[in-house]
Amino acid sequence: ISQIIEEAVSDSVRFGKANVISINGSVSTDHYYFIVNDNGMSKDQGGSGLGTILLDEIAPNLWRREYALGGTNLEVWIPLNR
């Protein structure tokens, strides 16, 4: 989880030029959930970088990235039984 958050924050600053980033999370009986929001420039880079590869490996089909006018939102669900 820390690798995913670290990569999300790094990408927010490096590519999105974000200066405000929030990280929130919770745990339920069967999964961890967290969301990383930033105010960076939202632009779909079109490629698969390290962050996308990491997410696909750790949480395949369990994450979503949304580009919005005010920044980017990354949501991730990770099963506890991994």
Side-chain angles (χ1 to χ4, degrees):
I1 293 174
S2 64
Q3 283 183 297
I4 294 171
I5 293 172
E6 182 179 334
E7 186 66 23
V9 170
S10 174
D11 285 356
S12 293
V13 173
R14 186 174 23 175
F15 299 118
K17 308 297 185 220
N19 61 6
V20 176
I21 301 169
S22 67
I23 303 165
N24 293 291
S26 63
V27 63
S28 72
T29 57
D30 61 348
H31 69 273
Y32 294 108
Y33 166 80
F34 62 92
I35 184 167
V36 179
N37 306 95
D38 71 48
N39 70 338
M41 296 179 293
S42 296
K43 182 178 178 184
D44 188 350
Q45 300 297 320
S48 294
L50 180 60
T52 301
I53 293 167
L54 181 64
L55 283 166
D56 284 340
E57 184 176 314
I58 294 174
N61 303 314
L62 297 173
W63 65 278
R64 173 177 54 205
R65 180 177 42 208
E66 296 177 329
Y67 299 100
L69 289 177
T72 302
N73 304 317
L74 173 67
E75 293 181 272
V76 182
W77 297 264
I78 299 179
L80 288 175
N81 61 357
R82 289 207 67 172

